[in-house]
Amino acid sequence: MQPPFCGLHPQTSLCSVSWTSCPPPQRVMSSRSRVAVVTGSNKGIGFAIVRDLCKKFSGDVILTARNPTLGQEAVNKLKEEGLNPLFHQLDITDLQSIRTLREFLQERYGGLDVLVNNAGIAFKVHDTTPFPIQAEVTLKTNFFGTRAASAELLPLIKPQGRVVNVSSMVSVHSLQKCSPELQQKFRSDTITEEELVGLMNKFVEDTKKGVHKEEGWPNTAYGVSKIGVTVLSRIHARQLNEQRKGDNILLNACCPGWVRTDMAGPKATKSIEEGAETPVYVALLPPGVTEPHGQFVSEKKVEKW
């Protein structure tokens, strides 16, 4: 019997290990420089988030990309604007790549202050790739990759840290197209990470069997992947409340809006600068505030899930 699809390394234990099992990072924290990391940030919304953080965040800002050449080109472009981001290679579908970044952050900064999980992919509307392949590939990056990055990097978040998972209003619309049973599961305040992983695996398997519609799923791999990101954010926020309540770490999902990027196309209504506004707003929530936390934020406002 094949193990369930994990999106990264199905043979490993990543699927069943919660990041909260790691030792509390405050024991090894130092007073080193503050640092923010943005995944998938050599172009599009991620690039605009890095640019804005370079202007507003008091500390180092690390731009990441799978391709070091493209990442360094993006850094150089921002340096021409008088900004000073750093670069680190990161492929969120490669566990070793994530761990290399984690070790770098631990050694150089003693942790992490702001994490923006922005990396994601989407197939074009008219792409002819078979839907089961679209489902597996999309969830591998958008859900399982984000989950893997979170598993490795969330334990590094320092007290007063901020975590932003870039989701989409598509997750809300796709949730509404799910069966009542699936909606109830995804809206549950007690759903576990393992249960969520099981549902994401089930979607991929149902597409392979050609029964995803009959099983109550919407016909959108991107939408389901972003349902996963939004629900994962709610779960991780709940875990933070249980494990590190006194550290006032705020973790939220957000929608940047419909933004003119390679992914969304030229007809979208927002520029990348406008798309960065809500993610940066949530990333820079001031010290001492306790909300939003575990919420879905769009246009700088909490939306009902």
Side-chain angles (χ1 to χ4, degrees), residues 101-119:
L101 174 61
R102 180 196 67 191
E103 290 162 7
F104 167 78
L105 293 168
Q106 183 68 67
E107 182 177 336
R108 179 158 175 174
Y109 298 97
L112 180 57
D113 297 278
V114 172
L115 171 62
V116 181
N117 282 313
N118 167 75

Side-chain angles (χ1 to χ4, degrees), residues 25-279:
Q26 58 267 35
R27 295 177 188 167
V28 294
M29 292 304 172
S30 71
S31 58
R32 282 175 270 188
S33 300
R34 300 179 75 228
V35 60
V37 169
V38 184
T39 71
S41 49
N42 62 291
K43 63 180 181 178
I45 297 167
F47 180 78
I49 292 171
V50 168
R51 176 192 276 138
D52 213 11
L53 286 175
C54 283
K55 297 174 182 177
K56 298 176 180 176
F57 175 73
S58 58
D60 289 344
V61 181
I62 299 180
L63 181 153
T64 71
R66 287 179 296 179
N67 183 315
T69 300
L70 296 179
Q72 197 59 58
E73 286 175 359
V75 164
N76 292 340
K77 190 181 299 183
L78 290 173
K79 286 185 175 180
E80 290 172 3
E81 298 177 16
L83 305 174
N84 194 33
L86 305 176
F87 173 72
H88 200 287
Q89 192 275 340
L90 175 65
D91 179 351
I92 65 169
T93 67
D94 179 348
L95 193 55
Q96 187 53 54
S97 174
I98 301 170
R99 288 177 172 169
T100 299
L101 174 61
R102 180 196 67 191
E103 290 162 7
F104 167 78
L105 293 168
Q106 183 68 67
E107 182 177 336
R108 179 158 175 174
Y109 298 97
L112 180 57
D113 297 278
V114 172
L115 171 62
V116 181
N117 282 313
N118 167 75
I121 63 169
F123 284 83
K124 302 295 184 184
V125 174
H126 301 296
D127 195 297
T128 57
T129 303
F131 190 67
I133 296 175
Q134 291 194 28
E136 185 160 347
V137 171
T138 303
L139 266 72
K140 179 180 179 180
T141 297
N142 294 4
F143 175 75
F144 289 104
T146 297
R147 179 174 182 255
S150 297
E152 298 296 327
L153 299 179
L154 283 181
L156 297 187
I157 299 293
K158 300 177 186 179
Q160 300 290 334
R162 303 290 182 253
V163 182
V164 183
N165 293 329
V166 178
S167 185
S168 171
M169 281 301 291
V170 174
S171 70
V172 176
H173 302 321
S174 299
L175 178 66
Q176 294 166 352
K177 294 178 181 178
C178 287
S179 67
E181 180 186 9
L182 284 173
Q183 288 187 41
Q184 184 177 15
K185 290 178 179 178
F186 287 132
R187 289 194 172 109
S188 169
D189 291 330
T190 57
I191 185 174
T192 67
E193 192 165 342
E194 289 71 24
E195 288 169 341
L196 176 60
V197 167
L199 287 168
M200 295 292 104
N201 282 327
K202 185 177 186 304
F203 171 69
V204 173
E205 292 305 317
D206 286 348
T207 64
K208 291 178 179 178
K209 296 173 185 174
V211 298
H212 64 283
K213 292 180 182 177
E214 292 87 336
E215 291 294 312
W217 297 102
N219 199 40
T220 163
Y222 182 79
V224 171
S225 76
K226 291 302 188 179
I227 288 175
V229 170
T230 301
V231 177
L232 185 69
S233 305
R234 288 160 55 86
I235 292 169
H236 283 172
R238 197 171 74 226
Q239 290 176 347
L240 283 169
N241 287 344
E242 295 165 359
Q243 302 287 329
R244 299 184 61 188
K245 182 66 174 176
D247 286 344
N248 194 33
I249 297 167
L250 300 182
L251 185 154
N252 294 282
C254 77
C255 175
W258 191 27
V259 181
R260 292 187 293 277
T261 62
D262 290 346
M263 185 184 295
K267 296 181 180 179
T269 54
K270 284 187 175 185
S271 66
I272 58 170
E273 290 75 21
E274 291 169 324
E277 288 179 6
T278 292

